[in-house]
Amino acid sequence: MFVDRTQITVKSGDGGNGCCSFRREKFIPKGGPDGGDGGNGGDVILESTTSEQNLNSLVYRRRYCAANGPGGQGSDMHGRNADAIVVKVPVGTVIRDAATGEVLADLDTPGAQVVVAKGGRGGRGNARFATSTNRAPRRRELGFPGEEKMLDLELKLIADAGLVGYPNAGKSTLLTRISGARPKVAAYPFTTLHPVIGVAEYFDYARVNVADIPGLIDGAHANVGLGHEFLRHIERTKVLVYVLDMGGVDGRDPLDDYENLKKELELYKDGLAGRPSLIVANKMDVAGAAENLTRLQEKLGRNAPALFALQPDGDCSEFLDALRALVKANSSEEEAALRRL
């Protein structure tokens, strides 16, 4: 099960109570106050990790509570601070306060952390209130309560490239050819119901992460169908790969498909359609595909993105090399080094 939205409740620990105590020992008639402070309550921390691919693990446990801080004791013994609890979420998780809608964090890098609920401070013991004029204070503080919040978690996949196209354009089939991913492939629309990430590996161990975005339809920007559920996963991709059905199997013109896909992306988010891209002319074995390819090349002209016509079970090396070069050109030096591009 792929889960990219969920809601959880977090509760940090309460601070421990301060202690009211006086030192009483034989031969020490004026021992004075010795009540210790209470410990701080534990924080609740969310941390991004590459070991989680979606929010599925949070579906079965919706509440996370940190421990309370222990109270102080006599003999100036302070309660220890309670341990924080760390909740693992996949890289690319956006965290919002469910009550206000405020974005608390966007964990878009591995190992990023955010304290979503701060533990309550421990109360002070009576030893803290001793003064020159009040040498035997009986005042102490109770621990401060921790925070409790309801959080909305939303996953936006982070991939180098996103495959964009209409249903049945062949995106999933393309992903299986260039990576080890095995999404469901069938001859009916919306076979792919959630994004799938595959890793294209090269001879020198370089890697490019490719996301198969479920098929878009006209009006996706206005949330027609599952528009927003799909489109938000394209936001973080560095480059786009438009996959076009050149055979027009579903009765559409591939030239119109390309323009309509770009329009949907731009209407959803300004500048999204202007990202660096490649075009894959798919299903070239279907009657009429060659003619449509010629028409597409004539319409696009010289300044269009690089176009690759792929035959079933044909060689994808040229496309993969171009994809690698485009991703490298649009990655930071640190990212390129990490992927050995």
Side-chain angles (χ1 to χ4, degrees):
M1 179 173 64
F2 183 89
V3 178
D4 54 7
R5 287 181 187 270
T6 192
Q7 190 175 79
I8 62 173
T9 299
V10 294
K11 170 68 169 67
S12 60
D14 298 334
N17 296 330
C19 176
C20 182
S21 173
F22 293 90
R23 184 179 182 187
R24 294 181 175 86
E25 293 184 39
K26 192 175 183 179
F27 308 120
I28 303 179
K30 297 181 180 180
D34 65 352
D37 300 341
N40 296 333
D43 300 335
V44 181
I45 299 172
L46 265 59
E47 179 181 343
S48 59
T49 175
T50 56
S51 63
E52 296 287 344
Q53 301 303 314
N54 62 72
L55 300 170
N56 183 46
S57 62
L58 304 184
V59 171
Y60 305 103
R61 182 182 173 187
R62 297 295 184 94
R63 186 174 178 84
Y64 296 84
C65 299
N68 296 331
Q73 299 181 36
S75 301
D76 288 314
M77 291 190 293
H78 303 306
R80 67 176 180 82
N81 294 333
D83 295 332
I85 62 170
V86 180
V87 182
K88 302 286 188 178
V89 297
V91 178
T93 300
V94 179
I95 304 162
R96 291 185 176 86
D97 188 316
T100 65
E102 176 189 1
V103 176
L104 303 180
D106 185 355
L107 305 181
D108 57 357
T109 56
Q113 290 187 338
V114 59
V115 177
V116 292
K118 183 70 176 176
R121 181 172 64 82
R124 292 177 293 176
N126 68 330
R128 297 283 191 179
F129 298 98
T131 66
S132 59
T133 58
N134 183 13
R135 298 186 178 183
R138 286 173 169 76
R139 177 185 172 189
R140 57 143 187 176
E141 283 182 340
L142 299 179
F144 290 82
E147 298 178 317
E148 183 169 0
K149 296 178 182 178
M150 186 172 290
L151 304 176
D152 288 328
L153 306 184
E154 177 185 14
L155 174 62
K156 295 181 180 180
L157 292 181
I158 295 180
D160 298 314
L163 303 181
V164 183
Y166 278 87
N168 264 7
K171 299 183 300 300
S172 297
T173 301
L174 176 61
L175 188 65
T176 62
R177 293 176 60 185
I178 64 175
S179 74
R182 292 295 177 265
K184 183 178 180 181
V185 178
Y188 55 85
F190 297 109
T191 307
T192 305
L193 296 177
H194 58 77
V196 178
I197 291 186
V199 180
E201 298 184 343
Y202 295 80
F203 69 93
D204 57 354
Y205 304 106
R207 298 176 300 169
V208 172
N209 297 325
V210 182
D212 173 15
I213 309 299
L216 303 179
I217 62 174
D218 294 337
H221 70 280
N223 211 21
V224 173
L226 294 176
H228 289 180
E229 297 297 319
F230 297 161
L231 283 166
R232 60 194 172 89
H233 290 294
I234 305 175
E235 291 184 35
R236 300 182 189 271
T237 58
K238 297 179 179 64
V239 303
L240 301 175
V241 178
Y242 294 94
V243 182
L244 305 179
D245 171 12
M246 299 309 294
V249 174
D250 291 334
R252 296 188 310 269
D253 188 328
L255 278 68
D256 294 338
D257 284 358
Y258 178 62
E259 295 300 330
N260 290 338
L261 288 169
K262 291 185 63 177
K263 178 181 177 181
E264 289 297 329
L265 296 181
E266 193 63 27
L267 288 173
Y268 174 70
K269 184 177 182 180
D270 290 343
L272 187 56
R275 292 200 181 164
S277 61
L278 301 174
I279 301 174
V280 169
N282 212 13
K283 300 188 180 182
M284 290 302 299
D285 58 326
V286 178
E291 291 79 2
N292 286 333
L293 177 61
T294 301
R295 292 172 52 227
L296 180 63
Q297 291 172 327
E298 292 175 351
K299 181 175 181 179
L300 294 178
R302 296 182 178 180
N303 297 325
L307 190 153
F308 300 88
L310 300 184
Q311 297 287 344
D313 301 323
D315 185 16
C316 293
S317 59
E318 187 179 353
F319 163 69
L320 286 172
D321 289 343
L323 179 62
R324 174 181 179 175
L326 191 62
V327 169
K328 181 179 180 180
N330 292 278
S331 300
S332 65
E333 292 183 2
E334 293 79 4
E335 291 171 329
L338 184 63
R339 296 178 176 83
R340 299 183 183 178
L341 292 175

